[in-house]
Amino acid sequence: MSEPVIPAATESGQPTAYLHSGWTRRVVGYVLILVLVNVMVDSVLASPTFVLPQLSEAFHTDQFAWIGSSAMLAGAMWAPLLGKSADINGKRKILVLTLLVAGAGGLVCLIAPHIIVFVLGRVLQGAAVAALFLTVALVRDICAPKFAMVVTGLVTSGSAVFGIVTPFILEPAVHAFGWRVVFVISASFAGLATLLVRFVLPESRITTPGTVDVKGALVLGGGLAAVLVYISLGQVFGWLSAFPILVLLAGIAALIYWYRVLSRRPEPVIDIRGVSAALGLGLLVVVMGTGAYQSMLQLFSLLVEVAPDEGLGYGIAGPAALGLMFGVPSIGIMLGGTISGAVAARKGPALTLAAGVLAGVIGTALMLLAGAASLPLAVVCSFLLSLTAGSLVTSGFNLASILAPRERQGTVSSMVMVMVAVGSVTMNFIGSAILGATRVVHDGEPVNSSFGVHSYIAVAGAVFLLAIVPTILLVRRMGDHVVTGAPISHL
């Protein structure tokens, strides 16, 4: 079978590489490998949510937000450094590195004797967050612009196919082998993906001469992490207690120092002043929408542990509840990402981003009305929210791809991933704080109250509603823009 390719042009119009513009066996093989990489990412980020109660019991902690979000928080630290490094040193090379680090993190979690070592393992696993945006950046190196949008939808959401059966496999596996089996699986996926990426995928044809500002990356990542850590520590030690306040001030000081000094260097790790208005609006929608969705995903893992007949006013435990809540909605992620990629190639990613936000508003509204106590309705709500997840992530990356030159795809894609990480961590901790502040005593034990659960859902819904404002502004600004190979950073 012949391979349709088109010459890729730089801003000067000179061809620099040949890009695939249609499906061939080789492209299918590349896509399958990139999907496998993102299966590993899902196993790092989502699989631990299946065993949150077991992890809380094993490490004697009720800070489930730390367990579920530590890898995503670490991803916010990793992303700027790895994104810039990928543009300079080659995306495949850096992707292999992230897979090795993530695999090592899974092994650390597997043998962790206490919570401190476990969180350290999750920090290493956070490198997997970079793997997601690097797969998207590699797609742009392999495919022509319009075709790349379709492929991006498949790469970012194709891993959801495995999510359909994962809960039905994990439930008996966890019952038989315990919570550690989750990390055995993630480390195994990381090892397999490393080999395939290294020996099958092509290296980046376009790189950017320069150096990586390691100091700037560490200061920026550390500042982000410190602010997010405050959100977690505040609910434990008190929002105005000395230690959390010191952590917050240190984070703010680091971010100010990075912005006022380090970001003005000739080659900053992220050129924040070069962010266009359209990209800024898109990033704002992503941080709000994905944050709201991830917080709801965390809530679902708690609701399936409570039976409706316990009389708490919430709870959806029942036969195959775990499989239904986390398996069936995987179809929604796959559909949301795939359809968004195909539509964006014709209409642009702004409209598909708007569709994702709308699905999130509807899903949380239904969940607030009755879904927290009805398994069938909860499954419908989870499906709608998964459409949101697939659409927002795919559309965010596609928007970044058309607003940045090819040689900066790694850096700009890392900005999208930072927004996903910041939104997810922030909303997860806020949700945890809401539940912790509204607990009641039931049969002699502290449990989440109905008021707390419904307040949690209401906050997520409010964030989706607020996301409508930048979405409308983005759609107006992008207008009828047609996707081409040239960046449109002026928007």
Side-chain angles (χ1 to χ4, degrees):
M1 180 184 296
S2 61
E3 297 183 1
V5 294
I6 65 170
T10 62
E11 293 182 18
S12 63
Q14 297 300 317
T16 60
Y18 285 89
L19 303 178
H20 297 272
S21 60
W23 291 106
T24 68
R25 292 178 181 176
R26 181 175 297 178
V27 172
V28 170
Y30 293 160
V31 170
L32 290 176
I33 292 173
L34 294 175
V35 168
L36 176 63
V37 171
N38 288 329
V39 170
M40 184 278 297
V41 176
D42 288 347
S43 72
V44 168
L45 300 180
S47 293
T49 63
F50 295 117
V51 292
L52 281 181
Q54 294 92 326
L55 288 171
S56 296
E57 182 179 352
F59 295 112
H60 309 290
T61 178
D62 59 358
Q63 293 302 303
F64 58 84
W66 264 111
I67 295 174
S69 299
S70 49
M72 188 66 84
L73 187 153
M77 298 172 57
W78 283 103
L81 176 62
L82 295 175
K84 183 70 172 181
S85 298
D87 284 336
I88 294 175
N89 300 301
K91 300 176 184 66
R92 187 190 68 180
K93 183 182 298 183
I94 301 302
L95 178 55
V96 168
L97 176 63
T98 64
L99 292 171
L100 289 173
V101 174
L107 296 178
V108 172
C109 291
L110 178 64
I111 64 175
H114 49 75
I115 188 66
I116 295 178
V117 177
F118 179 84
V119 171
L120 175 61
R122 293 292 285 165
V123 169
L124 293 175
Q125 280 194 305
V129 172
L132 175 58
F133 74 77
L134 288 176
T135 60
V136 175
L138 274 169
V139 167
R140 190 78 195 275
D141 280 356
I142 295 171
C143 303
K146 285 191 175 183
F147 184 51
M149 288 198 168
V150 178
V151 175
T152 295
L154 292 172
V155 167
T156 57
S157 62
S159 58
V161 174
F162 294 87
I164 298 172
V165 298
T166 296
F168 300 98
I169 296 174
L170 277 184
E171 195 165 12
V174 170
H175 180 74
F177 303 105
W179 57 267
R180 286 183 172 84
V181 71
V182 169
F183 299 97
V184 172
I185 293 172
S186 65
S188 300
F189 274 130
L192 176 59
T194 299
L195 294 174
L196 291 173
V197 169
R198 173 60 183 83
F199 294 107
V200 179
L201 289 185
E203 183 53 279
S204 305
R205 291 171 174 171
I206 299 177
T207 56
T208 304
T211 58
V212 179
D213 181 12
V214 176
K215 178 182 178 181
L218 293 177
V219 172
L220 175 60
L224 287 171
V227 173
L228 296 175
V229 166
Y230 166 76
I231 298 174
S232 174
L233 295 179
Q235 61 182 293
V236 180
F237 299 104
W239 299 106
L240 299 178
S241 298
F243 182 62
I245 288 294
L246 286 175
V247 172
L248 176 63
L249 292 177
I252 293 175
L255 293 176
I256 292 175
Y257 175 66
W258 178 82
Y259 179 76
R260 296 292 299 272
V261 179
L262 300 181
S263 69
R264 298 177 186 273
R265 290 182 172 182
E267 295 184 40
V269 66
I270 290 180
D271 183 11
I272 193 170
R273 292 174 179 80
V275 174
S276 65
L279 180 58
L281 290 170
L283 293 176
L284 184 58
V285 176
V286 169
V287 72
M288 297 171 74
T290 56
Y293 165 74
Q294 287 293 337
S295 69
M296 291 299 296
L297 183 65
Q298 177 178 256
L299 181 65
F300 292 150
S301 67
L302 301 176
L303 293 181
V304 296
E305 296 293 323
V306 179
D309 57 13
E310 291 184 32
L312 295 175
Y314 66 91
I316 55 176
L322 182 65
L324 288 171
M325 288 301 297
F326 290 94
V328 174
S330 295
I331 301 174
I333 294 178
M334 181 179 63
L335 290 176
T338 303
I339 294 174
S340 293
V343 173
R346 296 177 176 272
K347 301 294 184 179
L351 290 178
T352 56
L353 205 62
V357 172
L358 180 60
V361 170
I362 297 173
T364 49
L366 291 176
M367 194 71 188
L368 185 62
L369 292 176
S374 168
L375 178 58
L377 185 56
V379 171
V380 173
C381 295
S382 184
F383 177 79
L384 288 172
L385 289 168
S386 63
L387 284 175
T388 294
S391 178
L392 289 182
V393 173
T394 297
S395 301
F397 282 123
N398 278 334
L399 181 68
S401 74
I402 65 173
L403 294 175
R406 191 177 305 280
E407 62 271 14
R408 293 184 59 241
Q409 287 298 305
T411 300
V412 176
S413 295
S414 74
M415 295 172 66
V416 177
M417 205 63 240
V418 168
M419 293 298 102
V420 172
V422 169
S424 300
V425 172
T426 301
M427 289 301 297
N428 278 348
F429 284 141
I430 289 175
S432 177
I434 292 173
L435 295 180
T438 55
R439 284 182 176 173
V440 296
V441 177
H442 180 74
D443 290 337
E445 295 184 2
V447 297
N448 296 320
S449 67
S450 177
F451 175 74
V453 169
H454 287 88
S455 297
Y456 188 121
I457 300 170
V459 169
V463 173
F464 273 124
L465 287 173
L466 289 174
I468 292 177
V469 176
T471 301
I472 293 175
L473 295 176
L474 175 64
V475 171
R476 289 180 175 178
R477 180 170 288 273
M478 294 294 291
D480 298 325
H481 173 74
V482 178
V483 180
T484 64
I488 52 170
S489 56
H490 62 278
L491 286 176

